[in-house]
Amino acid sequence: MDHKAYIAERLHVAGVETQEIYASLAVPPDTSLGDYALPCFKFAKVLHKSPALIAEELAQAFPTDGVVSSVSAVNGYLNFKMDRMHLFETFWAEFTAAEMESGYGSSDMGGGKTVCIDYSSVNIAKPFHIGHLSTTVLGGALYRIFNFLGYRAVGINHLGDYGTQFGKLISAYKRWGNREEVERGGIHAINDLYVRFNSEATEEMEAEAREYFRLIESGDREANELFNWFKSLTLSYVGKIYDRLHVTFDSYCGESFYIDKIPAVVEKLKEKGLLVESRGAQVVDLEKFGMAPFIVLRSDGASLYATRDLAAAFYRKETYGFDKCLYVVAYQQNLHFQQLFKVIELMGEPWAKDMVHVAYGMVSLEDGAMSTRKGKVVWLEDVLSRCVEKAKQILSEKNPDLGDKDGVAEKVGVGAVIFGALYNNKIKDTVFSYDKALNFDGETSVYVQYTCARAASVLEKLTDTPFWSGENVQPNEREFELVKALASFPDTVRAAAENYEPSMIARWCVDTAQIFNKFYIECRVVNAETEELRRFRKTLTETANRTLRRALGLLGIGVPEKM
Ligand code: ARG
């Protein structure tokens, strides 16, 4: 039920539309005064009265009932209090109905519209380093959130699988590599070869690498076999990381997939008269828009990263008929996407407006020891293992009798890394600290997980108590606060999708867990004063537990039954 609509329909202000009243109703910062407030200042002009008087008069005239229990006028504000029991009833009705379908918080707002999400997009034969963490978990969360809201999300891993570096790799492998070692070492062995090539490369080796790359392109069997082998080793390696992060994709079409689709796009650019020559290269001039030229073909006719993105955009539009196409890529590529979207717009494609660069900031490690070792990048798998290891230590200290320590530590440790990357507004640069991320009392996933485990252990003792079914219990402050927090979950999920900001859900988790813990401390559940109260509180505990789990699940974080 939309409470704001309920209030707005019953509030009559001469010369003011219901719509406007609806939009002006807000949740006051101090909810002891009311659940909703209407500032009357902007009506003063129309009504030729002071805001205080307007509020007084409106309060007098408002028909309170079983939904809105009281109205008061305070300093030009009109404050509404909702009937607590009614609020709970509507929440519980919505909750149970939604849980029978696709879950509380889900909706059909997407109406099946397609959203393509380009995320993770790792580079073949290169380490999966901490820089790929945000795109992977942000994209993964958006993918789940959009599906949850009735969209059809298409997860695309736009692999970096094209370029002269693969020629270098073949050259390095032929010089120093052998099959068993690479099979055994996987991506690490490949990466070592690549690093070695770059540090020892001579003119002659560079030329050889270019030649190998040309062989890949011209379809040479051996070169392609090697390349595909490196690619499959990389994919099986990243696949394990994706499993740990609970991230999935519908397509792994990488840059090389678009090579044969480039001529058609170049043709289109020519038709539109957009292609000009600049020092031998073919470019789209964007000077009018204050941007550097968009280079389509180099002077040797080769395509660039940007060209492949342009071909990919057209391919996605044709293949998926998307309503929105998101690129979850670091803000360092702001200019690239501005140029790309501008070129599509200049080509006269109306869907240029549906392209969104979901830019995010950097995550770095507080732990200097790991990140500053010269020439060493921080591999994400090391960060995950280390965090899981630390989680295991902490869990063993806190609860020596805990069963399935490894399983629990995996959820807590990996969850902490994911949550660390998702908790702040995405554009902010953040520093990841293991200790902060694993603080049981902090703004952390482990705090939320622990809250769920606590709720689960209460529920375990109440299996014989039925859920609330209409008994009249007037909720106290704590209970009421919890109902309101839980009832705000669907709006939070919607806002997270609209703003491409999973952090809104992460923050909701921490806020709601805090509210639940206050409730847990102050209100006896198992030993409640009356049977009615026990049922009511069990119901609150159950809905809190389920909704918090669902929220963490949307972020890609699992919750252990016991901690
Ligand atoms: N592979 C690129 C990188 O690691 C990211 C690709 C992002 N997606 C895209 N369509 N450009 O920097």
Side-chain angles (χ1 to χ4, degrees):
M1 168 177 196
D2 187 345
H3 295 120
K4 286 208 268 181
Y6 190 88
I7 297 171
E9 276 159 24
R10 281 159 186 75
L11 203 60
H12 305 292
V13 186
V16 183
E17 298 275 336
T18 307
Q19 258 328 90
E20 196 188 332
I21 297 181
Y22 179 87
S24 306
L25 280 165
V27 177
D30 174 8
T31 48
S32 66
L33 287 174
D35 303 307
Y36 297 99
L38 181 75
C40 296
F41 307 94
K42 53 177 160 185
F43 307 137
K45 244 205 191 125
V46 208
L47 299 178
H48 305 290
K49 284 181 204 162
S50 73
L53 186 61
I54 297 170
E56 291 289 348
E57 287 179 3
L58 288 175
Q60 290 282 323
F62 194 90
T64 51
D65 55 15
V67 179
V68 181
S69 60
S70 77
V71 184
S72 61
V74 180
N75 300 332
Y77 281 90
L78 198 54
N79 296 318
F80 300 88
K81 274 200 168 163
M82 308 303 290
D83 182 81
R84 291 178 173 188
M85 214 52 235
H86 170 78
L87 209 65
F88 178 73
E89 267 163 41
T90 44
F91 160 68
W92 179 235
E94 275 171 28
F95 183 88
T96 43
E99 288 289 286
M100 305 256 260
E101 300 285 327
S102 12
Y104 185 58
S106 69
S107 83
D108 49 15
M109 88 182 234
K113 280 184 272 179
T114 299
V115 181
C116 286
I117 313 179
D118 178 322
Y119 61 104
S120 198
S121 303
V122 287
N123 301 317
I124 295 300
K126 291 225 186 110
F128 193 126
H129 59 89
I130 182 114
H132 290 114
L133 172 64
S134 298
T135 168
T136 306
V137 298
L138 262 172
L142 290 173
Y143 180 79
R144 275 181 296 267
I145 293 167
F146 277 104
N147 276 329
F148 193 53
L149 293 177
Y151 291 85
R152 178 176 74 109
V154 181
I156 303 172
N157 199 328
H158 186 75
L159 299 174
D161 61 357
Y162 190 81
T164 43
Q165 69 267 33
F166 300 105
K168 294 185 185 175
L169 201 55
I170 294 181
S171 168
Y173 174 72
K174 291 222 153 202
R175 264 165 215 275
W176 310 301
N178 75 64
R179 193 158 271 273
E180 295 82 70
E181 232 169 72
V182 172
E183 282 292 356
R184 197 163 3 94
I187 187 147
H188 295 273
I190 302 177
N191 186 244
D192 288 346
L193 286 171
Y194 185 66
V195 170
R196 179 159 176 200
F197 184 95
N198 281 330
S199 66
E200 296 181 21
T202 58
E203 282 287 318
E204 190 192 322
M205 282 163 70
E206 295 282 0
E208 185 183 284
R210 278 195 295 278
E211 177 57 15
Y212 276 123
F213 178 56
R214 201 192 58 74
L215 285 174
I216 298 178
E217 285 205 282
S218 63
D220 175 79
R221 226 186 82 201
E222 195 204 0
N224 274 285
E225 266 171 17
L226 282 173
F227 171 63
N228 286 328
W229 179 44
F230 297 144
K231 188 162 164 172
S232 74
L233 285 174
T234 310
L235 286 180
S236 79
Y237 165 80
V238 295
K240 284 184 208 126
I241 296 184
Y242 291 147
D243 287 346
R244 294 183 82 180
L245 298 173
H246 305 117
V247 164
T248 55
F249 298 92
D250 301 295
S251 158
Y252 281 88
C253 287
E255 293 183 42
S256 66
F257 177 78
Y258 300 101
I259 297 305
D260 63 1
K261 297 166 185 62
I262 287 173
V265 180
V266 172
E267 211 34 58
K268 238 182 228 176
L269 285 165
K270 273 194 196 139
E271 267 168 39
K272 301 273 171 184
L274 289 169
L275 223 47
V276 292
E277 202 185 301
S278 165
R279 279 183 260 146
Q282 298 290 315
V283 311
V284 178
D285 182 14
L286 296 175
E287 204 186 336
K288 261 196 281 185
F289 310 100
M291 294 178 216
F294 183 85
I295 305 173
V296 180
L297 297 173
R298 285 197 322 222
S299 53
D300 62 0
S303 66
L304 289 95
Y305 171 66
T307 325
R308 299 187 286 274
D309 251 337
L310 187 60
F314 276 88
Y315 176 84
R316 288 175 194 173
K317 186 65 195 175
E318 280 151 25
T319 309
Y320 304 110
F322 62 70
D323 202 63
K324 282 250 181 300
C325 182
L326 316 183
Y327 296 84
V328 187
V329 184
Y331 63 61
Q332 278 87 346
Q333 294 193 30
N334 276 354
L335 176 63
H336 165 71
F337 286 105
Q338 279 163 11
Q339 291 176 310
L340 178 67
F341 301 166
K342 190 47 119 188
V343 169
I344 297 170
E345 184 193 317
L346 293 174
M347 291 170 87
E349 300 297 339
W351 47 272
K353 63 172 188 343
D354 305 325
M355 314 289 282
V356 185
H357 176 205
V358 179
Y360 62 83
M362 287 225 314
V363 177
S364 53
L365 285 179
E366 182 194 58
D367 187 339
M370 263 186 95
S371 53
T372 55
R373 247 189 284 151
K374 265 228 174 82
K376 285 259 181 211
V377 283
V378 182
W379 294 67
L380 185 59
E381 62 177 292
D382 295 335
V383 176
L384 292 177
S385 311
R386 181 132 181 230
C387 205
V388 169
E389 201 41 54
K390 286 194 177 241
K392 199 171 156 187
Q393 266 169 28
I394 299 174
L395 287 162
S396 310
E397 279 161 26
K398 286 203 182 266
N399 184 357
D401 304 327
L402 183 68
D404 185 26
K405 276 204 187 73
D406 289 321
V408 176
E410 172 76 12
K411 284 188 173 137
V412 170
V414 173
V417 175
I418 298 177
F419 203 79
L422 290 182
Y423 190 63
N424 288 304
N425 191 306
K426 63 181 180 293
I427 200 69
K428 277 199 193 150
D429 290 337
T430 49
V431 179
F432 181 79
S433 140
Y434 293 98
D435 293 336
K436 279 199 193 121
L438 289 171
N439 182 350
F440 271 60
D441 302 314
E443 296 175 9
T444 57
S445 48
V446 62
Y447 173 71
V448 183
Q449 288 167 321
Y450 190 71
T451 304
C452 290
R454 184 178 246 185
S457 83
V458 171
L459 291 166
E460 215 171 59
K461 298 189 192 112
L462 289 172
T463 43
D464 294 334
T465 303
F467 286 119
W468 178 85
S469 62
E471 298 84 2
N472 190 3
V473 273
Q474 277 305 317
N476 67 26
E477 241 2 91
R478 294 282 81 85
E479 293 160 334
F480 186 51
E481 216 185 7
L482 183 55
V483 175
K484 283 207 286 189
L486 294 170
S488 71
F489 181 62
D491 280 343
T492 305
V493 180
R494 263 194 297 276
E498 279 162 5
N499 296 289
Y500 313 116
E501 195 62 90
S503 66
M504 292 176 146
I505 295 179
R507 293 195 174 258
W508 179 90
C509 285
V510 168
D511 292 345
T512 306
Q514 285 169 349
I515 291 172
F516 176 82
N517 284 317
K518 275 202 254 165
F519 156 79
Y520 176 84
I521 290 164
E522 290 180 32
C523 308
R524 292 194 310 234
V525 185
V526 179
N527 300 313
E529 293 83 341
T530 64
E531 172 63 16
E532 284 77 28
L533 261 187
R534 180 162 44 245
R535 290 182 184 194
F536 177 66
R537 289 179 181 162
K538 168 179 168 167
T539 306
L540 278 181
T541 307
E542 169 80 13
T543 49
N545 183 28
R546 280 224 235 165
T547 311
L548 282 170
R549 275 168 199 266
R550 187 169 309 278
L552 285 179
L554 285 174
L555 303 180
I557 300 172
V559 181
E561 268 318 301
K562 285 198 166 52
M563 276 175 72

